[in-house]
Amino acid sequence: MKKQGYHNKQTMNLLFTMLLFLVFVLSALFTVLIGGKVYENINSRIEENYSGQVVLNYVANKVRQNDKADSIVVRDIEDTAVLELSQEINGISYVTWIYCMDGAVRELFTNAGSGLGLADGLEIIDCQGLTFRQEGDILEVEVADQSNTKLLLNIRSGGKIDEK
């Protein structure tokens, strides 16, 4: 009779130990699953933020490179807001168009009368949308993403070509 009680106690100890181990394994599994989901969410937010910031930095650098009198204009071409940067190289007029089309920021560099259109631009980076607004010497660039990031640029060479 004592042996049967001893076996029942051992069985209960074994069951308790196995149950405790099962709880530990399940807790570890849920911790890994939840951690993976948190990592995935953080990674997607970083990617979205990175994409928007890259677009804004790209446009800002292009504007700074071409900041000459009367060389930066926002135009509406084929119902698309286009940032037009004009320059003259060896007596030939060239334009650079920066715009968003088909889910990507595109750039088209061509001579002024080439006849090329928006479909001919090269894809730079994926982007949901990009808008430009110009009021005087202030250029507003907005990336249409979840955070709607904006950039305001002061066009410093807003005067006439002969002004210093």
Side-chain angles (χ1 to χ4, degrees):
M1 189 134 162
K2 276 189 171 183
K3 261 191 169 181
Q4 192 175 19
Y6 177 73
H7 285 294
N8 283 342
K9 214 175 201 184
Q10 260 190 335
T11 305
M12 290 301 282
N13 284 341
L14 182 63
L15 284 175
F16 179 74
T17 305
M18 293 302 273
L19 185 62
L20 191 61
F21 181 71
L22 180 64
V23 168
F24 174 74
V25 168
L26 288 175
S27 297
L29 179 67
F30 284 125
T31 302
V32 168
L33 291 175
I34 291 170
K37 190 67 175 170
V38 168
Y39 174 77
E40 192 176 302
N41 289 338
I42 290 171
N43 200 26
S44 68
R45 286 184 187 165
I46 287 173
E47 244 177 71
E48 289 170 8
N49 190 27
Y50 172 78
S51 176
Q53 289 300 318
V54 167
V55 169
L56 291 178
N57 287 333
Y58 171 76
V59 172
N61 284 328
K62 284 294 195 175
V63 168
R64 289 177 187 133
Q65 288 173 357
N66 291 286
D67 194 359
K68 297 174 189 82
D70 299 327
S71 66
I72 300 171
V73 179
V74 175
R75 299 198 187 280
D76 189 40
I77 301 173
E78 299 174 18
D79 295 325
T80 303
V82 174
L83 179 63
E84 182 178 278
L85 310 169
S86 57
Q87 60 186 320
E88 192 171 311
I89 302 172
N90 295 331
I92 301 172
S93 294
Y94 292 93
V95 293
T96 301
W97 287 350
I98 300 173
Y99 54 95
C100 186
M101 183 177 176
D102 297 332
V105 173
R106 294 174 175 243
E107 179 182 327
L108 176 66
F109 176 77
T110 183
N111 59 350
S114 69
L116 295 176
L118 298 180
D120 299 313
L122 298 174
E123 287 187 16
I124 304 297
I125 189 170
D126 292 337
C127 182
Q128 296 173 1
L130 183 64
T131 58
F132 302 100
R133 281 183 225 81
Q134 185 176 13
E135 291 183 23
D137 291 344
I138 303 296
L139 175 66
E140 180 182 325
V141 183
E142 184 174 358
V143 176
D145 59 4
Q146 291 180 348
S147 62
N148 286 333
T149 52
K150 282 185 186 179
L151 176 67
L152 293 174
L153 294 169
N154 184 17
I155 301 171
R156 295 182 184 200
S157 299
K160 302 288 182 217
I161 293 175
D162 57 344
E163 290 181 2
K164 289 188 179 182

